[in-house]
Amino acid sequence: MKKLQITTLNRILIFIFILIITSVKAQSLSELYEKVNPAIVVILTEQKELVSSGKMTQTVTSGGLGSGFMISDTQIVTAAHVVQVAEKVDVQFLDGEIIPAKVISAYATADVALLELIWPRKNAVTLKLADSDAVKVGESVFVVGAPYGLGHSLSSGYVSGIIRDKDDKNPFTNSEYIQTDAAINTGNSGGPMMNMKGEVIGVVSNILTQSGGFQGIGFASSSNITKELLFEKKIIWNGTDLIPLTGKVAQIFNLPQESGLLVQRVVKLSPFGVLGIEDGDVEMTLNGEKLIVGGDIILSINGVKFENTDESLVNIAKVMERKSENDPLEIVVFRAGKKVTLGRK
């Protein structure tokens, strides 16, 4: 009987201990949320899309939605796919203020981008990019963003894996993702994944899904790859959505060289758009992949011919690592069966 009483008492004590730990964690997370929430923003975009209706295809303007976070009074980090081909970008803050922004840099593979506000945010609250190499599987994390437009929503979970592929010299293919079970949905993209110190360890990117909704596996680009690409490499945003054409596919397009970059969409006021690069206006499916055709195919940039090799991509990256948007840029495209040179010398 005495042994049974002790066992029961132990169980009660363990239960109370768990309740206390859970309460402390919930309180800590609530306090962290209140602290970081003013630094989280909603990204509102406008971009061009092709809409097909029977035999008619037309270009329309559609709205987009994402999340982001402030790292200074003028700079915001978000996901590249949120803003890569956005004609217009507005940043909405917790108090409702909206400030226009422009894209400074973007990397599609790592899915990170840097925005600059047209004017500074007064009394800006900013977040710190932590050392993601210190992140461990099983660590508690939380995400704040705008899932389905519900701004400043919080979800929490654990780091369930780390996918590293950042040893390549080619910045266009470098990536490093932190996997999590914290709920991520449409609109969360670009928001911060944070540790329990309130530091950013990742930029929310995408989810694995069969239904379109969250199914327990989400990914965020690591803070270290974000720092490397956006603040060390500093490749300028080009404002285009590009698809490589190689092998037999390149032959179908009758390219004068082995490979090229098919322009899907281009932002008119982007560096490539200002040069006069044209995007496509017809949708087609090739080898099971949807393409927008009818636009330019990029053959070379500043004399560096596009080839589907790391060496070629590294050389193109060096060309794009420019100090100023006004530096000379010359692009050769394949347009209507002819080579056309665009740009200034």
Side-chain angles (χ1 to χ4, degrees):
M1 185 68 178
K2 187 175 181 181
K3 184 176 181 181
L4 179 62
Q5 289 176 341
I6 293 174
T7 302
T8 303
L9 179 61
N10 285 344
R11 288 178 178 174
I12 293 172
L13 290 173
I14 290 171
F15 179 69
I16 293 173
F17 178 74
I18 292 173
L19 286 178
I20 292 172
I21 292 297
T22 303
S23 176
V24 170
K25 181 180 178 182
Q27 183 178 6
S28 175
L29 186 55
S30 177
E31 291 172 353
L32 277 175
Y33 173 77
E34 292 296 327
K35 180 180 178 181
V36 305
N37 195 28
I40 315 301
V41 300
V42 178
I43 310 293
L44 306 170
T45 64
E46 290 183 5
Q47 58 194 36
K48 296 183 298 183
E49 285 191 6
L50 286 181
V51 176
S52 298
S53 178
K55 296 181 179 180
M56 293 286 293
T57 300
Q58 58 181 343
T59 301
V60 300
T61 299
S62 64
L65 177 73
S67 302
F69 57 94
M70 298 202 71
I71 58 171
S72 76
D73 62 351
T74 58
Q75 291 186 321
I76 289 169
V77 173
T78 186
H81 75 266
V82 172
V83 297
Q84 179 63 33
V85 289
E87 298 282 347
K88 182 181 179 183
V89 179
D90 286 324
V91 177
Q92 186 177 47
F93 295 88
L94 181 62
D95 61 3
E97 182 184 14
I98 295 177
I99 301 178
K102 61 180 180 179
V103 187
I104 300 300
S105 186
Y107 294 80
T109 304
D111 201 16
V112 292
L114 182 66
L115 306 181
E116 185 173 274
L117 298 175
I118 301 303
W119 61 81
R121 164 74 169 172
K122 292 182 179 179
N123 302 316
V125 176
T126 61
L127 298 180
K128 176 185 176 182
L129 291 167
D131 178 9
S132 55
D133 286 345
V135 174
K136 299 183 182 301
V137 173
E139 182 176 333
S140 295
V141 295
F142 67 101
V143 170
V144 182
Y148 299 111
L150 301 173
H152 302 271
S153 295
L154 178 145
S155 62
S156 63
Y158 299 92
V159 173
S160 48
I162 300 175
I163 304 170
R164 289 189 170 94
D165 186 20
K166 62 173 186 176
D167 295 328
D168 198 334
K169 293 181 180 179
N170 177 9
F172 292 122
T173 59
N174 276 6
S175 63
E176 182 179 61
Y177 289 96
I178 299 173
Q179 180 183 325
T180 183
D181 63 348
I184 294 172
N185 284 289
T186 301
N188 272 121
S189 295
M193 174 191 288
M194 287 172 278
N195 59 25
M196 298 309 291
K197 296 178 181 178
E199 300 169 330
V200 178
I201 61 170
V203 181
V204 174
S205 176
N206 57 71
I207 59 174
L208 286 181
T209 180
Q210 293 180 337
S211 64
F214 182 67
Q215 292 180 286
I217 302 178
F219 299 93
S221 298
S222 76
S223 54
N224 282 3
I225 202 73
T226 300
K227 287 186 283 188
E228 177 186 339
L229 295 178
L230 297 183
F231 303 105
E232 296 175 17
K233 298 295 183 182
K234 297 182 180 179
I235 291 179
I236 67 164
W237 169 68
N238 58 48
T240 57
D241 181 11
L242 306 171
I243 291 182
L245 300 178
T246 60
K248 290 185 178 179
V249 176
Q251 294 174 12
I252 291 173
F253 285 86
N254 198 29
L255 294 188
Q257 61 188 49
E258 292 184 357
S259 305
L261 292 167
L262 177 63
V263 179
Q264 301 291 278
R265 291 175 292 176
V266 58
V267 178
K268 287 184 179 180
L269 296 180
S270 69
F272 279 19
V274 170
L275 285 179
I277 288 179
E278 297 180 358
D279 51 16
D281 56 4
V282 177
E283 284 187 334
M284 66 173 290
T285 301
L286 186 62
N287 289 339
E289 182 179 10
K290 285 187 177 182
L291 301 176
I292 300 175
V293 299
D296 290 336
I297 300 173
I298 295 175
L299 301 178
S300 68
I301 301 176
N302 274 18
V304 179
K305 185 167 69 172
F306 172 74
E307 297 172 344
N308 197 30
T309 64
D310 280 341
E311 183 180 1
S312 172
L313 291 173
V314 168
N315 288 335
I316 290 175
K318 290 179 180 178
V319 168
M320 298 302 293
E321 287 178 14
R322 298 180 295 148
K323 296 180 180 179
S324 169
E325 293 181 6
N326 296 319
D327 287 347
L329 187 62
E330 180 180 278
I331 298 180
V332 177
V333 301
F334 192 59
R335 178 185 295 173
K338 297 180 181 180
K339 285 186 177 182
V340 177
T341 301
L342 304 171
R344 53 187 181 275
K345 296 183 180 180

